[in-house]
Amino acid sequence: GDHCVWAQNEMRGLFFESLAAEFGHLLAKLLLVDDDASILEVISAAFEHHGYDVLKARDGSEALVRAERDAPDLVVLDLVMPRRSGFAVLDRLRQRHATHPPIIVVTANTDPRHEQFAHDHGADAFFRKPFDIDSLLETASELLKTGN
């Protein structure tokens, strides 16, 4: 029986290796910043399901502390938050952060200038709420591939 378990684990190892080769992000650390708990849950569940290690922050100040401490590989940032605007957070991440993780910005704001503004502030990708979680995941893995 033991041999069977070993073979299963071996297969599982190979499976994860091929996944890692394909996605290149296994256990990549994602910092997810959103003041909306339900959105936080949905997005983090999707990323965890795809093998990410998800760190969460509920506002800009917490986001900056976590970014400094945990050096995420990727940041998903909601621009409209209490305590500190997402743009301020974006600037600080870009200035202070040694590893310069790619940053995906999400916003419910419909102002077309928002996107330009986000790119000017160093965002790598831009999503308007409500967005398709699959395209978010796809963009994330693309950015991780090119970022590393």
Side-chain angles (χ1 to χ4, degrees):
D2 288 347
H3 180 74
C4 186
V5 170
W6 179 83
Q8 259 180 338
N9 282 342
E10 194 65 10
M11 286 300 292
R12 191 176 295 146
L14 288 172
F15 172 67
F16 278 120
E17 268 167 44
S18 69
L19 265 186
E22 192 179 334
F23 294 115
H25 67 228
L26 264 153
L27 291 181
K29 263 196 282 192
L30 169 76
L31 175 60
L32 184 55
V33 192
D34 203 308
D35 61 322
D36 182 331
S38 57
I39 288 180
L40 216 52
E41 277 317 301
V42 170
I43 300 178
S44 68
F47 275 97
E48 276 164 6
H49 180 72
H50 282 79
Y52 288 81
D53 178 14
V54 180
L55 316 163
K56 298 174 209 161
R58 292 292 299 270
D59 62 52
S61 305
E62 191 187 346
L64 290 169
V65 169
R66 298 216 66 158
E68 291 287 317
R69 198 183 60 201
D70 301 318
D73 302 303
L74 180 72
V75 180
V76 173
L77 173 69
D78 185 344
L79 284 181
V80 188
M81 289 180 305
R83 288 183 62 188
R84 194 169 262 176
S85 109
F87 285 118
V89 175
L90 198 50
D91 283 343
R92 282 282 299 280
L93 281 174
R94 277 285 163 260
Q95 290 158 6
R96 299 275 312 270
H97 211 55
T99 56
H100 290 297
I103 299 174
I104 299 175
V105 162
V106 296
T107 181
N109 191 307
T110 53
D111 185 340
R113 288 170 308 182
H114 239 62
E115 184 164 6
Q116 187 53 54
F117 210 51
H119 285 297
D120 293 347
H121 283 252
D124 296 281
F126 185 88
F127 282 84
R128 263 202 182 84
K129 293 177 180 175
F131 51 79
D132 176 47
I133 197 88
D134 288 333
S135 18
L136 184 66
L137 285 160
E138 214 165 288
T139 300
S141 89
E142 282 306 308
L143 285 172
L144 282 170
K145 263 184 223 155
T146 52
N148 294 340

